[in-house]
Amino acid sequence: MSEIPGDLKFLKSHEWARVEDDGLVRVGISDHAQGQLGDLVYVELPEIGASVQAGHGVAVVESVKAASDIYSPVSGEIVAVNENLNDKPETINEDAFGEGWIFLVRASDRGELNELLDADAYAELVENEDH
Amino acid sequence: MTEKTVLNDTHRALGARMVDFGGWDMPINYGSQIEEHHVVRRDAGMFDVSHMTVIDLHGARTREFLRHLLANSVDKLKVHGKALYSCMLNEQGGVIDDLIVYFLGEEFFRLVVNAATRAKDLEWIEKQAKAFGVEVKERPDFAMIAVQGPNARAKVIGLLAEVDHERIGKLGKFAAAAAQGPHGMPLFVARTGYTGEDGFEIIVPQEHAVALWQALAAAGVAPAGLGARDTLRLEAGMNLYGQDMDDAVSPWEANLGWTITLDEGRDFIGRKVLEAQKAAGVKRVMVGLVLDEKGVLRHGQPVLTANGVGEILSGSFAPTLNKAVAFARIPAGEPGDVRVDIRGKEVPVRVVKYPFVRDGKPCEGI
C-alpha cells in the first residue's frame, strides 16, 4: 500500500483535504481510491466561485468503469480547480496526493476539518476495506 | 457464493484486481485496463473466460432439436468444426441468451453460453431437449482462454504440436478444431472472439489451464482483464447480454436481425412473434452514439430524440477512439438532434452506424 501523507485529513468516501499555508483547503482523492477506480478518463470539475457544503457532491471523476461523486470535506467557496485534469485526468492515477488535486476551497468554518479522519484512522479504514 | 475459475490463484499472483462478475470472482484488470485494451488491439492479450458455460449435446435428433431451439439455422453448419452465432428465444420472441453453437458431428453439437445466464439456460435447454431425446451435458471440467489480437494466432500456433501448425494456421473464421498444446495437452481451438480482433478461444481441460496460461504468457501474450474485454467488444459493435438485450427485447430491437433465419418450414421457438414484429415494424431500434465532447456515456442514461426518450445500453470510454461511445435503444424513426442526459445536463451526441472500430482502427465517420 502507498504511503499516506501525515498532514492530510480524509473523508470516509476517500477524499483528502490539506490545509495550505494560506489557509485554503486543497482537495483530491486518495491513492487507494484511484487504485480502486482504475484508469481515470474524465473529471467534471466544480465551477470557481461556487459555494459548497461539507459532505455534498461537488465534482465527478469517471474511470473507464464508472462515475464517482466527489464530496467536499468542508463548506465554503471554490477558489480554484485543477484545469490540468481536463486534458490529463490520469494525473490522479499517477499522483493522487500531489499533482492530481481536484479543487481548492476557502473554508467558511475550518472547525469542520476536525470531523475528518487523520492519516492513521484512514489507513485503518483502507486496511479493513481490503479484508 | 462466489465461484472461482481454476485460474483464480494465477490471477491473484499477477496482482489482478478481482471483482464479482455475475457470481464469479474474476479479474477486471491487472493494473491498467486501458493498457490491456491497447495490447489486444496492437499485439496479443488473453482473457480467462472459464466462467462461460460449455454444454455438449448428444443424440440422433440433436440437429432437429437445435432447429427448434435457435433463431439462427443450424442447417448452415455443414462442415465439421464450423460455428454459428445465434439467439435462443422464449415464446414471446425475447432473448433468453446469445450463444455459439459448434458442429462436431451429426449427433454431437457444442454450445457456449454466457456465465450469468447459466442456470436459466440449462433449465430451458433441458426442458426443450426432452422431446427430442437429446442428452444435455454441462462441461464444468473445461476451462476457456481467449487469445485475441493481431499477433494472437501466431503466438498460439507456436505453442502447438508441430503437426498441428499448418492445419490450425488454416482454420477459417468461426471454425474450430482439436489440437495438441504444450506437453501434449488436448485443446479445442476455435477462431472466434469478442474483441473485434482475430484470435482464438481455446477450450482446455481444467487441469491443463494453468500450464496453458503460463505458456501463453511466456510466448508474449499479455494477461487482460474483463474490463478491457468489455471496452473492446463495445468498440467492435458486439452486444452484451443483460445490457444490450434480455428476455424482454426481440432480436429486431437489438440489431440482431442478421442472426434470424426465417427459412421455410422451420418452427423455432419465438418465430411467430418475430414474424409478426417484422410485418408490423418494430417500435424501438438500436443505434450507435458518439460523444465528441468530454464525458462518458453510461448504461441507463436517458437519450432524448425527436420521437421520445430512449436509453443508453452499453456505454463507455473507448480507449482506441479516446472518446465515449455507446449503444442506445431509441424510438424508431428519424431521431433529429439527439442528446444524452448526463447527470441532469443535456449533451449532444452523434448517431452513427457501428462497429466503432474495425481491425484496430476507427471506422469511417466515427
Side-chain angles (χ1 to χ4, degrees), chain A residues 39 44 62-64 86, chain B residues 32-34 294 296 298 343:
Chain A
D39 299 302
E44 190 180 294
E62 301 214 37
S63 67
V64 187
N86 284 328
Chain B
S32 166
Q33 175 174 339
I34 291 181
K294 286 185 184 295
V296 186
R298 303 281 184 195
R343 295 183 289 275

